[in-house]
Amino acid sequence: MRAFNPKRGWAKYLFLFFLSLGVLSPCYAEDPRFSADAEIIVFVTNSGKKYHRDGCSSLSRSKIALSLGDAARAYGPCSICRPPSPEKAALTPPLSSALYRVSVAEPPGFSAVDISRLLRAEVVDHVDGDTVRVRIANPPPELGPVETIRLIGVDTPETVHPRKEVEPLGREASDFTKTRLLGKTVYLAFDWDLRDRYNRLLAYIYTEEGLCHNAEIIRAGFGHAYTRFSFRFMEEFRVLERGARENRRGLWE
Ligand SMILES: [Zn+2]
């Protein structure tokens, strides 16, 4: 049997007719990754009373995608994954399509990631284990050509705090990031908040091999999962930290 081909004769017009009716449009128009004014998608289950971010440990197989507005009318926010309220979402400006925001999209995960969708940058300076400076060749409107990045969801021991001593393993954690990132091409993905109160960019940094460096720090035991502020990979980072503790890596030796 010949596959349906929208370029073929009358089939094209039939296809456009259905498209114009809106029957087929959800497949194309609603992918939040490619829209600057994306709707926030959250998930509910058949039996639950809460709405969740994708990937929440309390989501079952029966997860159902809803827009945040619809979900918040009938469900409460989950206390584990802490999805945003519509009020918070309204205060968060949409990002241009060059910025891949994991909280509204299928997350890229931690390894073997397709980095082609992420924003490319060069690491030009190294501050400590969880902070670097990058240069962005063609920055989108939200970003400058050079930005300080605070890695999302990970906290490494202090090395540069003006009033604190260098903490144990601070130097090792700092060297771990320096060795892996300094001078390298990296790829950036973003989460709920674009910047912190020090105006640092909040990002996940992926290497050219498609590894999430934020996760690698925790996996290697050079940092804690930093769960004070919610982020998309909170549960996954907690699991990585538990693994590092159990295997007595880095800080947990
Ligand atoms: Zn949840």
Side-chain angles (χ1 to χ4, degrees):
M1 199 168 76
R2 193 180 276 175
F4 171 66
N5 181 345
K7 288 197 178 72
R8 198 178 300 275
W10 59 268
K12 181 166 93 179
Y13 298 103
L14 191 68
F15 175 81
L16 290 173
F17 172 71
F18 278 112
L19 196 68
S20 71
L21 285 181
V23 172
L24 295 173
S25 63
C27 315
Y28 302 92
E30 291 185 2
D31 189 334
R33 283 172 294 205
F34 306 113
S35 166
D37 51 4
E39 215 176 12
I40 310 294
I41 303 298
V42 293
F43 295 86
V44 300
T45 62
N46 283 328
S47 53
K49 294 186 163 43
K50 304 290 184 186
Y51 69 89
H52 306 267
R53 295 171 191 257
D54 195 8
C56 176
S57 56
S58 46
L59 272 176
S60 67
R61 274 176 192 281
S62 69
K63 71 177 189 179
I64 301 156
L66 285 179
S67 74
L68 175 59
D70 289 345
R73 273 191 279 281
Y75 300 83
C78 166
S79 59
I80 296 169
C81 60
R82 290 184 282 172
S85 64
E87 293 73 28
K88 164 125 196 206
L91 291 174
T92 306
L95 301 181
S96 62
S97 58
L99 304 185
Y100 188 105
R101 184 178 251 172
V102 300
S103 48
V104 295
E106 192 60 36
F110 304 140
S111 57
V113 161
D114 175 11
I115 50 178
S116 65
R117 284 198 181 122
L118 309 185
L119 183 71
R120 189 181 148 131
E122 315 295 327
V123 177
V124 293
D125 198 4
H126 157 264
V127 180
D128 65 10
D130 55 38
T131 313
V132 296
R133 283 171 69 75
V134 298
R135 183 178 299 126
I136 301 156
N138 296 303
E142 296 92 337
L143 308 186
V146 177
E147 291 275 2
T148 300
I149 294 187
R150 173 67 170 84
L151 276 69
I152 297 169
V154 55
D155 200 27
T156 60
E158 280 303 339
T159 56
V160 293
H161 197 284
R163 294 182 307 280
K164 287 186 194 164
E165 298 282 304
V166 173
E167 291 175 355
L169 287 181
R171 189 65 57 203
E172 286 83 349
S174 183
D175 286 346
F176 181 77
T177 289
K178 184 179 178 183
T179 307
R180 290 180 173 227
L181 298 187
L182 187 59
K184 302 274 169 66
T185 298
V186 295
Y187 297 83
L188 309 179
F190 302 89
D191 206 317
W192 196 249
D193 295 309
L194 191 58
R195 294 181 187 276
D196 69 6
R197 60 195 165 118
Y198 307 109
N199 205 36
R200 297 178 300 190
L201 206 56
L202 295 167
Y204 299 97
I205 294 188
Y206 287 82
T207 63
E208 287 200 290
E209 297 77 39
L211 281 176
C212 178
H213 186 70
N214 313 44
E216 292 306 304
I217 292 171
I218 300 172
R219 194 198 305 279
F222 288 125
H224 301 256
Y226 186 53
T227 56
R228 191 172 150 208
F229 302 104
S230 65
F231 59 99
R232 172 62 187 78
F233 295 125
M234 194 158 61
E235 279 309 304
E236 290 90 336
F237 281 19
R238 280 190 175 132
V239 170
L240 289 175
E241 183 183 312
R242 211 174 302 136
R245 273 177 202 272
E246 284 166 7
N247 292 293
R248 301 180 178 281
R249 288 195 282 261
L251 294 170
W252 322 111
E253 219 168 66

